[in-house]
Amino acid sequence: MAKTVSMSNLKKAYRYCRKNGVLPTFYAALERIQDRNMHYEKRIITEEELEAQKQRVWEEAECFSILVPAYETKLQHFHEMIDSVLTQTYERFELIIADASPSDKLSEELQYYNDSRIRYLKLPENRGISGNTNAALEAATGSYIALLDHDDTLEQDALYRMMEAVWEGRTKRGTAPSLLYSDEDKCDGDMTCFYEPHIKGGFNLDLLLSNHYICHFLVMEAKLMKDLCLRGEYDGAQDHDLVLRAAGVLREEQIVHIPHILYHWRCHTGSTAENPDSKLYAYEAGRRAVADFCRQQGWNVHVTHTEHLGFFRVEYERDIFRQRTDLAAVGGRILCRGRIAGGAYGEDGKILYEGLPGHFSGYMHRAVLQQDVAAVDLRCCRVRDELLPLLERIRKEETQPEAAALRFGREVAGMGYRILWDPFMK
């Protein structure tokens, strides 16, 4: 478990206070302390599991190209990153390192590896994170592309789980996924402490507009990524921009979540994970990426930063239902004695974030983010005009408001609609 009180956390609290004020800082710190007390242990994969994965034979084994843009990487981190790839239980991959460092120290370190799957590109200049990654992308020969930061690591079954999802999509659903992503956690610089597991759930467009929750470990069909490429004008949020543009051309069933923590995001001095203010430009790039996606959809919106860095709010300038033909309803939250008592429902029929203090933001700040949900509380919602007759019929047939809300949600989902929850809907 990471330390609750540290110089880094004190600096974060000071910056947060300057930006948002004393009272929000108090509640954020209180919630943070409670979150830090949650127990988490890194997943342990048994030797039997690892061996079984290595022995599995695939009818169509895809090749994964793992792209690593590198720049003066700390040597210990560089070796740990490479070792985490070379020990994968799924062995059909290529590791493409695009090195924009002015020195040759990384190329010199590679002499210790005798593995033809490692491909090294010495770039003539530093083209930025997007340009450097695109150089690796251009050289990639795999059918799927994976993105890995130069100082992070993968779990040994990361590629196996991706291949498993590809196989299941192809054999059970008749189509292989085009975009896959896993859960992740954070670790300290020495990789001795793992914390803040990020459990993500299925694809959620409006949550993606609020925050790049997909993040790591990201794998995309090679043709799609090569068609899209990364855009240098969004450096710092280039992955978010890439995923948004992919989501704009894919069907939801082509986007698959892998419910395993496969990626370890290293936090050290200067990293975005440890010091969010170290890359403020990245959060502005993320805001612009969201605004650009909305503009491409023809939505007239205003995208703003929230009090939490890297999290955004989309405000619609005109009637939301005229702009968002995919929305059936929009609902808000209901507070009782200062705590969430209603608003959004999950697929299991439970109230999302029930009992959470209204001043708290919840797990990964999701309780204050716009997101797609299974249903919204009918006491606090707006419904598309053409769906009002359906809602009224359901209300007459269902005696309980919760049952009516959930049934309405299921029926409109079957019609291809989304339901948006906006915790601060006015």
Side-chain angles (χ1 to χ4, degrees):
M1 182 173 65
K3 294 179 180 179
T4 298
V5 179
S6 66
M7 185 56 68
S8 173
N9 285 338
L10 290 175
K11 289 180 179 178
K12 289 179 184 177
Y14 173 72
R15 289 189 291 265
Y16 188 94
C17 186
R18 288 189 60 184
K19 178 176 181 284
N20 302 303
V22 174
L23 193 58
T25 303
F26 169 77
Y27 287 119
L30 182 62
E31 184 173 16
R32 183 74 169 176
I33 290 171
Q34 293 183 7
D35 289 344
R36 287 286 186 169
N37 290 330
M38 295 178 61
H39 183 70
Y40 167 65
E41 289 186 2
K42 178 178 172 293
R43 179 172 61 105
I44 302 298
I45 312 174
T46 67
E47 289 299 325
E48 290 77 13
E49 289 179 290
L50 295 174
E51 188 59 33
Q53 291 176 9
K54 291 177 183 178
Q55 297 301 321
R56 182 166 179 177
V57 177
W58 306 89
E59 291 182 5
E60 294 182 55
E62 306 288 352
C63 178
F64 293 86
S65 297
I66 304 173
L67 312 186
V68 179
Y71 185 87
E72 296 295 350
T73 312
K74 185 177 178 180
L75 295 185
Q76 176 188 344
H77 299 171
F78 187 63
H79 285 294
E80 289 172 348
M81 177 274 294
I82 293 176
D83 291 343
S84 79
V85 175
L86 297 184
T87 55
Q88 290 294 302
T89 58
Y90 182 86
E91 299 179 338
R92 189 153 188 249
F93 64 82
E94 59 180 3
L95 172 61
I96 305 177
I97 300 172
D99 183 13
S101 307
S103 72
D104 293 323
K105 69 175 187 177
L106 299 186
S107 63
E108 293 170 358
E109 291 299 310
L110 286 173
Q111 67 180 316
Y112 297 107
Y113 297 93
N114 182 25
D115 195 314
S116 61
R117 295 172 299 180
I118 299 178
R119 298 175 58 193
Y120 176 77
L121 305 178
K122 181 63 175 180
L123 303 183
E125 60 181 350
N126 183 8
R127 307 170 189 171
I129 185 67
S130 293
N132 297 344
T133 305
N134 284 337
L137 176 61
E138 186 176 347
T141 62
S143 51
Y144 281 89
I145 307 294
L147 300 180
L148 174 61
D149 287 352
H150 64 162
D151 51 2
D152 295 341
T153 62
L154 299 176
E155 269 294 330
Q156 286 182 267
D157 62 340
L159 293 183
Y160 176 89
R161 295 298 178 185
M162 292 296 170
M163 183 61 226
E164 184 178 50
V166 171
W167 178 84
E168 288 182 354
R170 182 182 294 130
T171 59
K172 297 181 180 180
R173 294 185 294 275
T175 179
S178 296
L179 191 159
L180 308 95
Y181 62 98
S182 75
D183 299 332
E184 63 189 284
D185 64 15
K186 294 178 181 177
C187 63
D188 61 3
D190 297 328
M191 297 193 69
T192 57
C193 177
F194 295 83
Y195 59 100
E196 290 188 15
H198 188 178
I199 310 303
K200 301 170 184 178
F203 179 70
N204 191 311
L205 176 62
D206 285 283
L207 185 60
L208 183 61
L209 295 176
S210 301
N211 169 250
H212 182 31
Y213 78 94
I214 285 180
C215 205
H216 310 300
F217 178 40
L218 174 65
V219 171
M220 189 178 293
E221 196 173 21
K223 183 180 184 306
L224 175 62
M225 189 179 290
K226 290 189 175 188
D227 286 344
L228 297 174
C229 290
L230 284 83
R231 302 197 290 184
E233 59 267 37
Y234 295 98
D235 269 2
Q238 70 285 339
D239 294 356
H240 194 182
D241 172 63
L242 174 68
V243 171
L244 283 167
R245 288 184 290 127
V249 298
L250 295 176
R251 302 184 307 275
E252 286 199 19
E253 58 267 27
Q254 294 176 282
I255 304 175
V256 173
H257 166 238
I258 311 296
H260 297 282
I261 291 176
L262 304 179
Y263 192 103
H264 306 297
W265 188 2
R266 192 193 303 266
C267 300
H268 53 85
T269 304
S271 73
T272 307
E274 177 65 18
N275 178 14
D277 279 357
S278 66
K279 293 186 178 179
L280 289 175
Y281 73 91
Y283 303 112
E284 175 56 22
R287 187 198 66 79
R288 290 190 290 106
V290 172
D292 181 69
F293 174 85
C294 294
R295 183 169 54 252
Q296 293 297 322
Q297 306 308 306
W299 306 339
N300 188 1
V301 304
H302 183 52
V303 182
T304 58
H305 297 281
T306 70
E307 62 186 42
H308 304 286
L309 287 173
F311 296 82
F312 313 104
R313 176 171 175 78
V314 180
E315 297 178 341
Y316 295 83
E317 303 295 297
R318 297 195 299 267
D319 179 69
I320 191 171
F321 293 122
R322 290 187 179 182
Q323 299 188 72
R324 294 282 302 269
T325 57
D326 60 324
L327 291 184
V330 181
R333 69 177 183 174
I334 297 175
L335 297 177
C336 180
R337 297 179 180 177
R339 295 178 178 269
I340 294 179
Y345 294 96
E347 295 287 349
D348 58 2
K350 294 182 180 179
I351 298 172
L352 298 180
Y353 320 113
E354 185 175 17
L356 187 74
H359 294 295
F360 282 13
S361 62
Y363 178 69
M364 296 295 173
H365 305 306
R366 290 180 192 165
V368 294
L369 298 178
Q370 294 161 306
Q371 60 201 267
D372 302 321
V373 295
V376 288
D377 197 311
L378 300 181
R379 295 172 295 174
C380 182
C381 76
R382 294 172 52 205
V383 175
R384 177 177 292 279
D385 287 347
E386 53 265 43
L387 295 176
L388 286 173
L390 171 64
L391 177 60
E392 289 305 312
R393 175 172 62 80
I394 292 174
R395 273 178 158 165
K396 291 179 181 177
E397 296 172 356
E398 300 288 349
T399 58
Q400 298 297 322
E402 295 86 352
L406 291 165
R407 180 177 164 188
F408 178 74
R410 287 192 297 269
E411 293 203 17
V412 297
M415 299 164 65
Y417 286 105
R418 293 186 175 91
I419 293 183
L420 172 63
W421 183 61
D422 181 352
F424 300 115
M425 185 183 79
K426 297 179 181 178

